[in-house]
Amino acid sequence: MTKSLNLNTVVQNLPDTLKQEVNTENGSLYVNSKYIFEICRELKNNNKFQFNYLKSISAVDYVEFFEVVYHLDSLITNTSLVLKSKLYGRDGNSINSVISVWKGADLQEREIWDLMGIFFEGHPNMKRILLWEGFKGHPLRKDFLK
Amino acid sequence: MSLNSELVTINFGPQHPSMHGVFRLRVTLDGETIVDLEPVFGYLHRGTEKLAEERTYVQIVTLTDRLDYVASMSNNLAYVSAVEKLCNIEVPKRASYIRVIVAELQRIASHLMATGFLLNDLGAFGTPLMYCFREREKILDLFEILCGARITLSYMRPGGIFQDTPQEFWDDLELFLESMPNQIDELESLITGNEIVLSRTRDVGILTPEQVIDASLSGPMLRASSVKWDLRKANPYEIYDEIDFDVPIGATGDTFDRYLIRIKEMRESLKIITQCINLIKPGPVRNEDVPLIIRAPEGEAYVGIEGPKGELGFYLVSDGGISPYRCKIRAPSFINLTLLKEMTAGGKIGDLIVNFGSIDIVLGEVDR
């Protein structure tokens, strides 16, 4: 059975520079969006976590803010972790790409840019993937009236 | 004297018999060698995730049928599992067994399609594909007995399945289980030792274990590269923890291994179904407390299951309403395409088709 990692232990095992940038809430680890790359690198390479498998990246539009959700798995220890980051504002949202940590982020980050309009800094090929170039807007946002 | 050569960029698809649907590859070639490759897709994008935000939880089951349309049962299972986790719904034991039986039947059907089309892409035009289709037809007939549909099944509901199985289903399933091992043997006798198949697929498109884990590949793609990871074992759902089966892994991670893994998994699926038939007991198949219009509590749930193509996950976020606030689909075919360039660049254009066929994508799921 895949166990979800105890969040308090996760925070304790992080280096001091990152400790201040995270907090835990509702069973997930929230991180300041500026430090997403550093924390992902730490979660993958630190021997206490070994999160070597990025299951999925999702983005949710909560109107006041966007949430980028990383579902991480460790195929070595069979543990999982949900990492989240909030992005405030509706225009020009961006977050660092984690493609150099997990190559699996490649297509998923492009999909989020396409459908949710969150730009991933440092992604080598950040362009639309499902819709065509020139499409106006990002369809999964809550901008559209019912 | 040296010959002048020029790079040529060509389009494969979107209408092309070996593109498995509407998929386009922009390939840059130096003679016959692939220099660069870029997949272009989205031709079948229907906005399933957005549509789900406007449907009730039960209505969305029909949307999931149309994702991976050769494995609707698995999609149904992944989605209803996510709803059940979100709303804490209990599933009767009999329903769990039936779910596992149909999901494994669906896995066999999907792997048969993958094998048939891989052979089709190799140039064995028609014959092996028809052998595979003949067997798949029997599975579709079984599904027709269950729910009247053959492809878009919508058989599962949050809290169970749509209705109990008629006796006719069990009789036909018995016949199927008797004949299928021989049919797999027959298929293997045509393909596995075939010299042309071996020379076209051995050591083609090799992926190392590090590469596949790093790129989040899943399912047969992961296991062919000798990573022993199967969600049915790693994180058992339904009643898989009561069942005894093996997780076959490949040795080198080439195209041939990806083919062979699928054949071995079909045999394991037959084992699982046989055990389920012995364990299943009469009882209710649907949790009667679940209303037709489900109001999920505020919160979120992610559930991933081992679909035929890999980890199929649903991430549902609820704001307490009658439809999900957000429904994200982790589509295995989509993420399995990540390494397409690494598999093919530097190789010959003939191998591109074989590599691509061995990933086993379905465009309904890639484009959603």
Side-chain angles (χ1 to χ4, degrees):
Chain A
M1 212 62 176
T2 307
K3 282 195 215 78
S4 39
L5 219 54
N6 186 314
L7 291 176
N8 293 329
T9 6
V10 175
V11 177
Q12 273 164 25
N13 285 323
L14 286 173
D16 291 337
T17 43
L18 288 173
K19 257 181 203 163
Q20 299 133 15
E21 308 298 336
V22 299
N23 61 323
T24 60
E25 204 182 301
N26 294 335
S28 5
L29 189 70
Y30 280 85
V31 61
N32 182 340
S33 62
K34 289 192 183 69
Y35 291 87
I36 193 77
F37 177 76
E38 283 78 8
I39 195 141
C40 284
R41 197 174 51 188
E42 186 66 26
L43 286 172
K44 186 187 178 189
N45 296 331
N46 189 329
N47 272 336
K48 294 198 175 80
F49 310 125
Q50 309 186 66
F51 284 110
N52 56 353
Y53 191 78
L54 172 71
K55 262 207 286 210
S56 86
I57 310 179
S58 330
V60 189
D61 181 1
Y62 285 105
V63 184
E64 311 104 84
F65 57 89
F66 288 95
E67 205 168 74
V68 186
V69 187
Y70 299 78
H71 287 93
L72 309 179
D73 242 5
S74 166
L75 303 198
I76 303 159
T77 58
N78 200 359
T79 46
S80 67
L81 180 77
V82 184
L83 181 69
K84 290 182 180 179
S85 194
K86 284 179 185 172
L87 297 171
Y88 289 88
R90 311 253 346 138
D91 293 313
N93 302 92
S94 74
I95 188 166
N96 279 330
S97 168
V98 294
I99 189 168
S100 50
V101 185
W102 299 287
K103 169 99 172 115
D106 185 353
L107 299 179
Q108 305 187 59
E109 287 184 343
R110 278 179 67 189
E111 187 195 338
I112 292 174
W113 161 242
D114 189 0
L115 303 179
M116 205 58 111
I118 295 167
F119 194 86
F120 288 84
E121 306 269 357
H123 189 291
N125 190 20
M126 190 86 284
K127 56 184 190 189
R128 286 189 181 269
I129 188 165
L130 294 174
L131 302 169
W132 56 96
E133 290 299 331
F135 185 90
K136 282 204 173 57
H138 302 282
L140 276 183
R141 287 188 170 198
K142 298 277 179 188
D143 293 343
F144 306 91
L145 291 173
K146 278 191 182 176
Chain B
M1 192 187 88
S2 68
L3 281 173
N4 276 336
S5 71
E6 208 175 287
L7 296 183
V8 185
T9 303
I10 57 163
N11 274 314
F12 249 108
Q15 274 82 28
H16 187 278
S18 53
M19 284 293 123
H20 298 225
V22 277
F23 186 83
R24 181 153 69 101
L25 282 170
R26 199 181 290 134
V27 195
T28 308
L29 296 166
D30 178 8
E32 231 188 312
T33 312
I34 296 165
V35 180
D36 193 17
L37 169 143
E38 196 193 0
V40 183
F41 43 89
Y43 295 96
L44 205 60
H45 180 63
R46 295 147 296 174
T48 308
E49 294 178 6
K50 189 77 181 173
L51 287 172
E53 292 172 11
E54 303 286 312
R55 302 272 193 289
T56 66
Y57 284 95
V58 177
Q59 284 175 329
I60 296 169
V61 175
T62 59
L63 290 180
T64 65
D65 287 337
R66 287 148 180 86
L67 293 171
D68 177 354
Y69 41 74
V70 303
S72 309
M73 281 293 187
S74 314
N75 302 340
N76 285 179
L77 178 57
Y79 169 71
V80 297
S81 308
V83 177
E84 281 152 11
K85 187 177 175 191
L86 184 68
C87 311
N88 283 319
I89 298 172
E90 290 256 337
V91 183
K93 200 84 182 188
R94 184 176 170 85
S96 275
Y97 281 113
I98 295 174
R99 279 180 180 187
V100 169
I101 293 173
V102 291
E104 293 303 323
L105 282 174
Q106 188 72 83
R107 186 186 314 278
I108 297 173
S110 172
H111 283 354
L112 281 170
M113 289 271 284
T115 312
F117 277 110
L118 175 65
L119 267 288
N120 218 21
D121 291 348
L122 273 167
F125 218 72
T127 315
L129 182 64
M130 285 304 130
Y131 275 56
C132 294
F133 264 57
R134 184 187 62 198
E135 298 317 310
R136 175 173 172 266
E137 194 67 19
K138 294 177 188 163
I139 296 172
L140 298 189
D141 286 344
L142 285 168
F143 289 160
E144 198 176 353
I145 298 173
L146 288 178
C147 54
R150 292 160 60 82
I151 308 284
T152 49
L153 303 155
S154 298
Y155 184 53
M156 297 182 195
R157 299 285 185 280
I161 53 172
F162 146 67
Q163 64 177 23
D164 205 347
T165 48
Q167 185 54 40
E168 197 189 349
F169 171 77
W170 300 105
D171 300 340
D172 283 13
L173 183 61
E174 205 71 44
L175 291 177
F176 173 77
L177 288 176
E178 262 167 43
S179 70
M180 194 59 195
N182 301 330
Q183 305 296 356
I184 300 177
D185 287 343
E186 186 192 41
L187 199 60
E188 264 210 286
S189 71
L190 287 171
I191 306 168
T192 310
N194 187 309
E195 207 174 318
I196 303 170
V197 173
L198 283 171
S199 63
R200 287 293 306 277
T201 56
R202 268 266 170 247
D203 298 329
V204 170
I206 296 180
L207 293 174
T208 63
E210 293 77 31
Q211 266 183 313
V212 287
I213 293 175
D214 196 42
S216 307
L217 302 199
S218 52
M221 293 285 286
L222 190 67
R223 291 188 284 276
S225 300
S226 59
V227 181
K228 209 176 172 94
W229 181 260
D230 187 318
L231 286 172
R232 291 173 292 172
K233 286 272 189 207
N235 189 18
Y237 49 93
E238 302 295 342
I239 43 92
Y240 278 110
D241 46 352
E242 299 171 16
I243 308 275
D244 172 46
F245 64 99
D246 293 326
V247 179
I249 56 167
T252 46
D254 56 11
T255 301
F256 184 73
D257 274 345
R258 288 191 277 275
Y259 148 75
L260 207 57
I261 287 288
R262 295 201 171 95
I263 296 283
K264 286 181 181 166
E265 281 189 6
M266 282 196 252
R267 292 189 201 278
E268 294 303 319
S269 294
L270 291 174
K271 257 166 71 181
I272 296 172
I273 298 170
T274 315
Q275 290 178 50
C276 285
I277 293 177
N278 293 331
L279 290 168
I280 193 167
K281 292 191 180 65
V285 291
R286 201 163 165 184
N287 187 337
E288 295 298 333
D289 300 336
V290 183
L292 188 60
I293 303 213
I294 299 168
R295 212 170 266 280
E298 225 171 289
E300 59 174 61
Y302 175 89
V303 172
I305 69 152
E306 190 67 40
K309 311 216 163 36
E311 176 172 350
L312 175 63
F314 277 82
Y315 174 59
L316 295 176
V317 180
S318 164
D319 60 349
I322 57 167
S323 5
Y325 186 75
R326 173 89 169 90
C327 168
K328 146 96 191 182
I329 303 155
R330 188 235 190 251
S333 302
F334 174 67
I335 297 172
N336 283 355
L337 282 170
T338 310
L339 284 185
L340 187 60
K341 189 177 166 186
E342 280 73 4
M343 282 164 82
T344 48
K348 299 280 183 236
I349 189 149
D351 293 341
L352 165 68
I353 301 294
V354 185
N355 275 322
F356 184 69
S358 75
I359 303 179
D360 182 22
I361 64 159
V362 167
L363 266 298
E365 190 176 67
V366 174
D367 294 343
R368 276 156 290 152

